[in-house]
Amino acid sequence: MTSARLPLFPLNTVLFPGLVLPLNVFEERYRALVRDLAALPEEAPRRFGVIAIRDGREVAPTAPGLPDPTAPTRRGAAAGFGADPMLAFHTVGCVADVATIREQRDGTYELIATGTTRFRLLSVDASGPYLTGEVEELPEEPGEGAGALANGVLRAFRTYQKRLAGARELSLSGTQELPDEPSVVSYLVAAAAVLDIPAKQRLLQAPDTASRLAEELKLLRAETAVIGKLPSLPAVELTRQPTSPN
C-alpha cells in the first residue's frame, strides 16, 4: 500500500466518510493551510486530513485569551500538541474534500468539506507552517454478513431515534430516509449516534464494515436502554458534524 503526504487538521471530533464538516478557520497555521488549498489550480483536489485529538488542545494558546488567558503563548505547527504530535493524535483519520472556501473580511475562513476515505497516520511533520502527515489509505472491506447486520442496525437505529426524540420531546416526522448500502449505513449511524470521541474513533477504525455494524448494534441497544433515564440529550443531525471554531 502506497503512502502520500497530506495537510493535517486535528480536531476534537471524528469525521466519517460521507459526512459534511463545516469549519470556521481562524488560527494562523490553519489559515495558511486554507490559503495553500485555495491557491491550487481549479481542477486540482483540495484535500486535508482530519485526525481526532487524543491528548492536546484543538485551539492552541497562540494569543492572549485563546483559549486560556493564563496559558503561555505557543506558536508553530505543533502548538498545543506536545513534543511529539504523533502521541497527541489517534492514528486513523478521514480525508476531507473541500467543497467551498469563503474568506472573511478579518482574514479568517469559512470552510465546508466532506469526508471521503479513511487513512492511517504514519508520521507527522511539524517543520512547516502547519502540520502535514504521511498517510496510507485504508480500504473499506465489507466483512462477513454486512448486509444482514446493516438491516439490524437500521432497525435498532430507528428505535434509538424514537427514544432520542422522546427524551427531547421532538417529532420524527421530518427525518430523512436512511440508505441501505452497508458501508454508508455504518458511517451514517456512527456519526449520528450520541457517542463520545473514543467510541466514535473505535467505529472509524473498525477493520471492516461488518465489524463496525456489529459494534454499532451493541452500542445502539445499550444507548437505547438508558436514554429514558436521562433528562435531556443534545440534538444531532444525520449528515453534518458540529461546526468547529477551528
Side-chain angles (χ1 to χ4, degrees), residues 25-177:
V25 182
F26 62 85
E27 275 199 79
E28 179 52 42
R29 52 182 167 178
Y30 301 123
R31 287 160 65 177
L33 187 160
V34 175
R35 285 195 296 269
D36 284 353
L37 292 179
L40 292 172
E42 190 65 31
E43 67 278 4
R46 292 177 168 86
R47 296 172 181 160
F48 58 90
V50 173
I51 197 81
I53 298 169
R54 187 201 307 270
D55 181 20
R57 294 177 180 267
E58 181 174 286
V59 178
T62 55
L66 288 177
D68 178 359
T70 65
T73 298
R74 295 286 186 268
R75 298 193 181 277
F81 301 127
D84 184 357
M86 274 292 291
L87 300 178
F89 306 142
H90 290 279
T91 56
V92 174
C94 184
V95 176
D97 197 344
V98 177
T100 61
I101 298 174
R102 295 191 180 94
E103 185 173 4
Q104 307 302 300
R105 290 183 178 180
D106 60 0
T108 63
Y109 294 90
E110 289 184 357
L111 197 72
I112 301 292
T114 304
T116 56
T117 57
R118 299 180 306 151
F119 65 82
R120 186 179 307 281
L121 185 62
L122 303 177
S123 65
V124 176
D125 182 359
S127 62
Y130 50 83
L131 296 174
T132 60
E134 183 183 3
V135 306
E136 61 178 12
E137 182 179 334
L138 293 177
E140 183 65 24
E141 302 292 345
E144 186 175 351
L149 282 164
N151 291 333
V153 166
L154 284 174
R155 289 193 297 270
F157 186 65
R158 285 301 189 194
T159 302
Y160 171 81
Q161 280 187 303
K162 291 176 183 177
R163 292 284 182 88
L164 189 64
R168 303 190 67 251
E169 298 181 350
L170 295 177
S171 170
L172 285 177
S173 59
T175 56
Q176 66 189 67
E177 289 298 315

